[in-house]
Amino acid sequence: MKKHRRGLRLAACLLALAMCAALLCSCGRTGKTDDYTAAMPVIVVGSDNYPPFNYMGTDGAPTGIDVELATEAFGRLGYRVKFVTIDWEKKKELVENDTIDCIWGSFSMDGREEEYQWAGPYLHSRQVVAVRSDSDIRTLQDLADKVVAVQSTTKPEELFLNAEQNGLPRLRRLYSLQNRDLLYTTLLKGYADALAAHESAIRQFMKDYSVEYRILDEPLMTARLGVAFAKERGDDLPQQLTEVFQEMLADGTVRQIVSRYLDDPEHYLDGLEDSTHA
């Protein structure tokens, strides 16, 4: 089966090269990367603004960990990536009606295994709670009768909506916000006592805006990050992408990309590289 899949990947790459050669001949251009990538079939990736995983660079083009990983991984499979910004609350509908080919944006696989076909995991990420530096909240249990802000349809929202079965205290109020950036404003202005999100995203915000939050030592959970495809997708692209992730973990590509954005890549790889050699 693996030989068959690699054969398909090789065929896709050869097809892309052939298309590129034809394009170069017809246009009279030689040796241009733009011509090569233009000849590749396109994969449309749906994501939202979520630094350091996906955000607009100074040149107005998408950049970030997930953007670089997607470009490299799909490139190895013979595809060109197009990132589009989506309403995160509608992600499942968009991937099921083929508006996008996959969802890729620091997306937790855990608890959603049956909702999508998954590629991954390619990273681990801690879901954590952050408070203002002067807060008296020190543990998750200190959140009892407090107000917490989360992004809607995310893992922290799910955990707090089912607080009792997840061993979390009952909140006074849970703010589920569509716009991720409002999480930080809500905490800064004192409308919420705490916020919950991916640790990497919180640290990126603190770095970008010189804001100091205190992250609780105890995480809500450690999540596996993956790429979600429609449950009824008929080809084996998710499995091919999983195999490419394993190659990129083994050859150090994932570590190299993550280290450009995060200071402690080991924290996010956490055994994934070792598993590729098992």
PDB file of all heavy atoms in Angstrom, residues 203-228:
ATOM      1  N   ARG A 203       1.398  33.284  24.135  1.00  0.00           N
ATOM      2  CA  ARG A 203       2.769  33.794  24.226  1.00  0.00           C
ATOM      3  C   ARG A 203       3.105  34.697  23.042  1.00  0.00           C
ATOM      4  O   ARG A 203       3.833  35.685  23.186  1.00  0.00           O
ATOM      5  CB  ARG A 203       3.753  32.627  24.318  1.00  0.00           C
ATOM      6  CG  ARG A 203       3.634  31.844  25.630  1.00  0.00           C
ATOM      7  CD  ARG A 203       4.815  30.917  25.851  1.00  0.00           C
ATOM      8  NE  ARG A 203       4.659  30.155  27.072  1.00  0.00           N
ATOM      9  CZ  ARG A 203       4.920  30.621  28.297  1.00  0.00           C
ATOM     10  NH1 ARG A 203       5.358  31.867  28.442  1.00  0.00           N
ATOM     11  NH2 ARG A 203       4.756  29.861  29.362  1.00  0.00           N
ATOM     12  N   GLN A 204       2.568  34.373  21.864  1.00  0.00           N
ATOM     13  CA  GLN A 204       2.807  35.217  20.700  1.00  0.00           C
ATOM     14  C   GLN A 204       2.170  36.589  20.896  1.00  0.00           C
ATOM     15  O   GLN A 204       2.767  37.624  20.563  1.00  0.00           O
ATOM     16  CB  GLN A 204       2.245  34.562  19.443  1.00  0.00           C
ATOM     17  CG  GLN A 204       2.546  35.318  18.157  1.00  0.00           C
ATOM     18  CD  GLN A 204       4.014  35.269  17.795  1.00  0.00           C
ATOM     19  OE1 GLN A 204       4.658  34.239  17.920  1.00  0.00           O
ATOM     20  NE2 GLN A 204       4.559  36.396  17.343  1.00  0.00           N
ATOM     21  N   PHE A 205       0.956  36.624  21.457  1.00  0.00           N
ATOM     22  CA  PHE A 205       0.289  37.898  21.713  1.00  0.00           C
ATOM     23  C   PHE A 205       1.092  38.730  22.707  1.00  0.00           C
ATOM     24  O   PHE A 205       1.277  39.939  22.509  1.00  0.00           O
ATOM     25  CB  PHE A 205      -1.126  37.659  22.254  1.00  0.00           C
ATOM     26  CG  PHE A 205      -1.882  38.932  22.527  1.00  0.00           C
ATOM     27  CD1 PHE A 205      -2.608  39.552  21.521  1.00  0.00           C
ATOM     28  CD2 PHE A 205      -1.859  39.524  23.788  1.00  0.00           C
ATOM     29  CE1 PHE A 205      -3.302  40.741  21.767  1.00  0.00           C
ATOM     30  CE2 PHE A 205      -2.545  40.700  24.041  1.00  0.00           C
ATOM     31  CZ  PHE A 205      -3.266  41.310  23.029  1.00  0.00           C
ATOM     32  N   MET A 206       1.566  38.090  23.767  1.00  0.00           N
ATOM     33  CA  MET A 206       2.348  38.823  24.770  1.00  0.00           C
ATOM     34  C   MET A 206       3.610  39.413  24.143  1.00  0.00           C
ATOM     35  O   MET A 206       4.002  40.548  24.445  1.00  0.00           O
ATOM     36  CB  MET A 206       2.703  37.906  25.935  1.00  0.00           C
ATOM     37  CG  MET A 206       1.520  37.489  26.783  1.00  0.00           C
ATOM     38  SD  MET A 206       1.980  36.713  28.376  1.00  0.00           S
ATOM     39  CE  MET A 206       2.732  35.182  27.809  1.00  0.00           C
ATOM     40  N   LYS A 207       4.243  38.634  23.266  1.00  0.00           N
ATOM     41  CA  LYS A 207       5.456  39.100  22.598  1.00  0.00           C
ATOM     42  C   LYS A 207       5.170  40.258  21.652  1.00  0.00           C
ATOM     43  O   LYS A 207       5.893  41.262  21.627  1.00  0.00           O
ATOM     44  CB  LYS A 207       6.083  37.933  21.840  1.00  0.00           C
ATOM     45  CG  LYS A 207       7.340  38.274  21.058  1.00  0.00           C
ATOM     46  CD  LYS A 207       7.858  37.035  20.337  1.00  0.00           C
ATOM     47  CE  LYS A 207       9.072  37.362  19.493  1.00  0.00           C
ATOM     48  NZ  LYS A 207       9.573  36.148  18.761  1.00  0.00           N
ATOM     49  N   ASP A 208       4.091  40.140  20.876  1.00  0.00           N
ATOM     50  CA  ASP A 208       3.775  41.160  19.873  1.00  0.00           C
ATOM     51  C   ASP A 208       3.346  42.484  20.483  1.00  0.00           C
ATOM     52  O   ASP A 208       3.622  43.559  19.928  1.00  0.00           O
ATOM     53  CB  ASP A 208       2.674  40.650  18.941  1.00  0.00           C
ATOM     54  CG  ASP A 208       3.139  39.542  18.017  1.00  0.00           C
ATOM     55  OD1 ASP A 208       4.367  39.365  17.884  1.00  0.00           O
ATOM     56  OD2 ASP A 208       2.280  38.851  17.434  1.00  0.00           O
ATOM     57  N   TYR A 209       2.642  42.413  21.628  1.00  0.00           N
ATOM     58  CA  TYR A 209       2.049  43.629  22.190  1.00  0.00           C
ATOM     59  C   TYR A 209       2.636  44.022  23.546  1.00  0.00           C
ATOM     60  O   TYR A 209       2.098  44.906  24.211  1.00  0.00           O
ATOM     61  CB  TYR A 209       0.530  43.445  22.317  1.00  0.00           C
ATOM     62  CG  TYR A 209      -0.141  43.314  20.967  1.00  0.00           C
ATOM     63  CD1 TYR A 209      -0.417  42.059  20.423  1.00  0.00           C
ATOM     64  CD2 TYR A 209      -0.463  44.438  20.214  1.00  0.00           C
ATOM     65  CE1 TYR A 209      -1.015  41.930  19.182  1.00  0.00           C
ATOM     66  CE2 TYR A 209      -1.061  44.318  18.972  1.00  0.00           C
ATOM     67  CZ  TYR A 209      -1.335  43.062  18.457  1.00  0.00           C
ATOM     68  OH  TYR A 209      -1.925  42.945  17.225  1.00  0.00           O
ATOM     69  N   SER A 210       3.740  43.374  23.928  1.00  0.00           N
ATOM     70  CA  SER A 210       4.419  43.691  25.192  1.00  0.00           C
ATOM     71  C   SER A 210       3.454  43.680  26.373  1.00  0.00           C
ATOM     72  O   SER A 210       3.455  44.581  27.218  1.00  0.00           O
ATOM     73  CB  SER A 210       5.111  45.061  25.089  1.00  0.00           C
ATOM     74  OG  SER A 210       6.065  45.059  24.053  1.00  0.00           O
ATOM     75  N   VAL A 211       2.622  42.650  26.403  1.00  0.00           N
ATOM     76  CA  VAL A 211       1.660  42.456  27.486  1.00  0.00           C
ATOM     77  C   VAL A 211       2.119  41.256  28.300  1.00  0.00           C
ATOM     78  O   VAL A 211       2.603  40.268  27.740  1.00  0.00           O
ATOM     79  CB  VAL A 211       0.238  42.203  26.928  1.00  0.00           C
ATOM     80  CG1 VAL A 211      -0.734  41.872  28.052  1.00  0.00           C
ATOM     81  CG2 VAL A 211      -0.236  43.414  26.152  1.00  0.00           C
ATOM     82  N   GLU A 212       1.984  41.340  29.620  1.00  0.00           N
ATOM     83  CA  GLU A 212       2.413  40.242  30.470  1.00  0.00           C
ATOM     84  C   GLU A 212       1.213  39.604  31.154  1.00  0.00           C
ATOM     85  O   GLU A 212       0.550  40.219  31.982  1.00  0.00           O
ATOM     86  CB  GLU A 212       3.405  40.740  31.532  1.00  0.00           C
ATOM     87  CG  GLU A 212       4.095  39.632  32.302  1.00  0.00           C
ATOM     88  CD  GLU A 212       4.929  38.726  31.405  1.00  0.00           C
ATOM     89  OE1 GLU A 212       5.555  39.233  30.447  1.00  0.00           O
ATOM     90  OE2 GLU A 212       4.930  37.493  31.656  1.00  0.00           O
ATOM     91  N   TYR A 213       0.921  38.370  30.772  1.00  0.00           N
ATOM     92  CA  TYR A 213      -0.074  37.554  31.460  1.00  0.00           C
ATOM     93  C   TYR A 213       0.661  36.482  32.261  1.00  0.00           C
ATOM     94  O   TYR A 213       1.835  36.186  32.009  1.00  0.00           O
ATOM     95  CB  TYR A 213      -1.010  36.849  30.470  1.00  0.00           C
ATOM     96  CG  TYR A 213      -1.918  37.760  29.689  1.00  0.00           C
ATOM     97  CD1 TYR A 213      -1.991  37.645  28.305  1.00  0.00           C
ATOM     98  CD2 TYR A 213      -2.709  38.715  30.317  1.00  0.00           C
ATOM     99  CE1 TYR A 213      -2.828  38.466  27.567  1.00  0.00           C
ATOM    100  CE2 TYR A 213      -3.549  39.538  29.587  1.00  0.00           C
ATOM    101  CZ  TYR A 213      -3.593  39.416  28.211  1.00  0.00           C
ATOM    102  OH  TYR A 213      -4.419  40.224  27.486  1.00  0.00           O
ATOM    103  N   ARG A 214      -0.037  35.890  33.181  1.00  0.00           N
ATOM    104  CA  ARG A 214       0.504  34.747  33.910  1.00  0.00           C
ATOM    105  C   ARG A 214      -0.259  33.502  33.473  1.00  0.00           C
ATOM    106  O   ARG A 214      -1.478  33.449  33.606  1.00  0.00           O
ATOM    107  CB  ARG A 214       0.390  34.957  35.425  1.00  0.00           C
ATOM    108  CG  ARG A 214       0.891  33.752  36.247  1.00  0.00           C
ATOM    109  CD  ARG A 214       1.153  34.121  37.697  1.00  0.00           C
ATOM    110  NE  ARG A 214       0.103  34.940  38.253  1.00  0.00           N
ATOM    111  CZ  ARG A 214      -1.072  34.470  38.706  1.00  0.00           C
ATOM    112  NH1 ARG A 214      -1.337  33.175  38.627  1.00  0.00           N
ATOM    113  NH2 ARG A 214      -1.969  35.276  39.225  1.00  0.00           N
ATOM    114  N   ILE A 215       0.457  32.524  32.954  1.00  0.00           N
ATOM    115  CA  ILE A 215      -0.155  31.280  32.497  1.00  0.00           C
ATOM    116  C   ILE A 215      -0.134  30.280  33.647  1.00  0.00           C
ATOM    117  O   ILE A 215       0.915  30.060  34.275  1.00  0.00           O
ATOM    118  CB  ILE A 215       0.591  30.727  31.277  1.00  0.00           C
ATOM    119  CG1 ILE A 215       0.438  31.695  30.089  1.00  0.00           C
ATOM    120  CG2 ILE A 215       0.064  29.343  30.891  1.00  0.00           C
ATOM    121  CD1 ILE A 215       1.252  31.320  28.864  1.00  0.00           C
ATOM    122  N   LEU A 216      -1.281  29.712  33.955  1.00  0.00           N
ATOM    123  CA  LEU A 216      -1.356  28.744  35.046  1.00  0.00           C
ATOM    124  C   LEU A 216      -0.497  27.526  34.729  1.00  0.00           C
ATOM    125  O   LEU A 216      -0.414  27.092  33.582  1.00  0.00           O
ATOM    126  CB  LEU A 216      -2.804  28.311  35.274  1.00  0.00           C
ATOM    127  CG  LEU A 216      -3.832  29.414  35.600  1.00  0.00           C
ATOM    128  CD1 LEU A 216      -5.150  28.774  36.054  1.00  0.00           C
ATOM    129  CD2 LEU A 216      -3.320  30.375  36.656  1.00  0.00           C
ATOM    130  N   ASP A 217       0.130  26.979  35.769  1.00  0.00           N
ATOM    131  CA  ASP A 217       1.028  25.836  35.572  1.00  0.00           C
ATOM    132  C   ASP A 217       0.288  24.607  35.050  1.00  0.00           C
ATOM    133  O   ASP A 217       0.814  23.868  34.221  1.00  0.00           O
ATOM    134  CB  ASP A 217       1.718  25.486  36.898  1.00  0.00           C
ATOM    135  CG  ASP A 217       2.707  26.557  37.342  1.00  0.00           C
ATOM    136  OD1 ASP A 217       3.211  27.286  36.469  1.00  0.00           O
ATOM    137  OD2 ASP A 217       2.966  26.666  38.560  1.00  0.00           O
ATOM    138  N   GLU A 218      -0.914  24.404  35.532  1.00  0.00           N
ATOM    139  CA  GLU A 218      -1.689  23.220  35.152  1.00  0.00           C
ATOM    140  C   GLU A 218      -2.429  23.485  33.838  1.00  0.00           C
ATOM    141  O   GLU A 218      -3.263  24.382  33.759  1.00  0.00           O
ATOM    142  CB  GLU A 218      -2.687  22.883  36.256  1.00  0.00           C
ATOM    143  CG  GLU A 218      -3.523  21.655  35.984  1.00  0.00           C
ATOM    144  CD  GLU A 218      -4.569  21.422  37.058  1.00  0.00           C
ATOM    145  OE1 GLU A 218      -4.671  22.241  38.000  1.00  0.00           O
ATOM    146  OE2 GLU A 218      -5.308  20.426  36.940  1.00  0.00           O
ATOM    147  N   PRO A 219      -2.147  22.723  32.773  1.00  0.00           N
ATOM    148  CA  PRO A 219      -2.852  22.953  31.506  1.00  0.00           C
ATOM    149  C   PRO A 219      -4.260  22.373  31.533  1.00  0.00           C
ATOM    150  O   PRO A 219      -4.557  21.472  32.317  1.00  0.00           O
ATOM    151  CB  PRO A 219      -1.983  22.210  30.495  1.00  0.00           C
ATOM    152  CG  PRO A 219      -1.386  21.089  31.283  1.00  0.00           C
ATOM    153  CD  PRO A 219      -1.158  21.632  32.671  1.00  0.00           C
ATOM    154  N   LEU A 220      -5.107  22.895  30.671  1.00  0.00           N
ATOM    155  CA  LEU A 220      -6.420  22.280  30.483  1.00  0.00           C
ATOM    156  C   LEU A 220      -6.266  20.909  29.831  1.00  0.00           C
ATOM    157  O   LEU A 220      -6.934  19.950  30.189  1.00  0.00           O
ATOM    158  CB  LEU A 220      -7.292  23.162  29.595  1.00  0.00           C
ATOM    159  CG  LEU A 220      -7.833  24.454  30.201  1.00  0.00           C
ATOM    160  CD1 LEU A 220      -8.464  25.309  29.109  1.00  0.00           C
ATOM    161  CD2 LEU A 220      -8.845  24.146  31.292  1.00  0.00           C
ATOM    162  N   MET A 221      -5.385  20.836  28.842  1.00  0.00           N
ATOM    163  CA  MET A 221      -5.113  19.576  28.160  1.00  0.00           C
ATOM    164  C   MET A 221      -3.920  19.776  27.235  1.00  0.00           C
ATOM    165  O   MET A 221      -3.546  20.908  26.919  1.00  0.00           O
ATOM    166  CB  MET A 221      -6.319  19.110  27.331  1.00  0.00           C
ATOM    167  CG  MET A 221      -6.619  19.993  26.125  1.00  0.00           C
ATOM    168  SD  MET A 221      -7.968  19.387  25.073  1.00  0.00           S
ATOM    169  CE  MET A 221      -7.267  17.858  24.451  1.00  0.00           C
ATOM    170  N   THR A 222      -3.291  18.678  26.858  1.00  0.00           N
ATOM    171  CA  THR A 222      -2.291  18.708  25.798  1.00  0.00           C
ATOM    172  C   THR A 222      -2.931  18.114  24.561  1.00  0.00           C
ATOM    173  O   THR A 222      -3.399  16.972  24.574  1.00  0.00           O
ATOM    174  CB  THR A 222      -1.039  17.905  26.185  1.00  0.00           C
ATOM    175  OG1 THR A 222      -0.438  18.513  27.328  1.00  0.00           O
ATOM    176  CG2 THR A 222      -0.032  17.907  25.049  1.00  0.00           C
ATOM    177  N   ALA A 223      -2.985  18.910  23.504  1.00  0.00           N
ATOM    178  CA  ALA A 223      -3.724  18.523  22.304  1.00  0.00           C
ATOM    179  C   ALA A 223      -2.785  18.129  21.177  1.00  0.00           C
ATOM    180  O   ALA A 223      -1.676  18.654  21.055  1.00  0.00           O
ATOM    181  CB  ALA A 223      -4.606  19.677  21.852  1.00  0.00           C
ATOM    182  N   ARG A 224      -3.243  17.205  20.329  1.00  0.00           N
ATOM    183  CA  ARG A 224      -2.543  16.853  19.097  1.00  0.00           C
ATOM    184  C   ARG A 224      -3.096  17.729  17.973  1.00  0.00           C
ATOM    185  O   ARG A 224      -4.302  17.785  17.775  1.00  0.00           O
ATOM    186  CB  ARG A 224      -2.762  15.388  18.754  1.00  0.00           C
ATOM    187  CG  ARG A 224      -2.244  14.395  19.791  1.00  0.00           C
ATOM    188  CD  ARG A 224      -2.695  12.986  19.460  1.00  0.00           C
ATOM    189  NE  ARG A 224      -4.155  12.900  19.415  1.00  0.00           N
ATOM    190  CZ  ARG A 224      -4.835  12.034  18.664  1.00  0.00           C
ATOM    191  NH1 ARG A 224      -4.200  11.184  17.881  1.00  0.00           N
ATOM    192  NH2 ARG A 224      -6.158  12.023  18.690  1.00  0.00           N
ATOM    193  N   LEU A 225      -2.219  18.393  17.272  1.00  0.00           N
ATOM    194  CA  LEU A 225      -2.653  19.238  16.162  1.00  0.00           C
ATOM    195  C   LEU A 225      -2.631  18.451  14.856  1.00  0.00           C
ATOM    196  O   LEU A 225      -1.686  17.694  14.584  1.00  0.00           O
ATOM    197  CB  LEU A 225      -1.735  20.462  16.031  1.00  0.00           C
ATOM    198  CG  LEU A 225      -1.657  21.372  17.253  1.00  0.00           C
ATOM    199  CD1 LEU A 225      -0.831  22.620  16.924  1.00  0.00           C
ATOM    200  CD2 LEU A 225      -3.031  21.760  17.768  1.00  0.00           C
ATOM    201  N   GLY A 226      -3.680  18.621  14.063  1.00  0.00           N
ATOM    202  CA  GLY A 226      -3.772  17.905  12.800  1.00  0.00           C
ATOM    203  C   GLY A 226      -4.477  18.724  11.741  1.00  0.00           C
ATOM    204  O   GLY A 226      -4.876  19.873  11.967  1.00  0.00           O
ATOM    205  N   VAL A 227      -4.623  18.132  10.577  1.00  0.00           N
ATOM    206  CA  VAL A 227      -5.293  18.758   9.430  1.00  0.00           C
ATOM    207  C   VAL A 227      -6.574  17.980   9.164  1.00  0.00           C
ATOM    208  O   VAL A 227      -6.541  16.752   9.004  1.00  0.00           O
ATOM    209  CB  VAL A 227      -4.383  18.749   8.187  1.00  0.00           C
ATOM    210  CG1 VAL A 227      -5.080  19.434   7.014  1.00  0.00           C
ATOM    211  CG2 VAL A 227      -3.053  19.419   8.499  1.00  0.00           C
ATOM    212  N   ALA A 228      -7.692  18.689   9.129  1.00  0.00           N
ATOM    213  CA  ALA A 228      -9.003  18.033   9.007  1.00  0.00           C
ATOM    214  C   ALA A 228      -9.521  18.087   7.573  1.00  0.00           C
ATOM    215  O   ALA A 228      -9.550  19.151   6.950  1.00  0.00           O
ATOM    216  CB  ALA A 228     -10.003  18.704   9.942  1.00  0.00           C
TER     217      ALA A 228
END
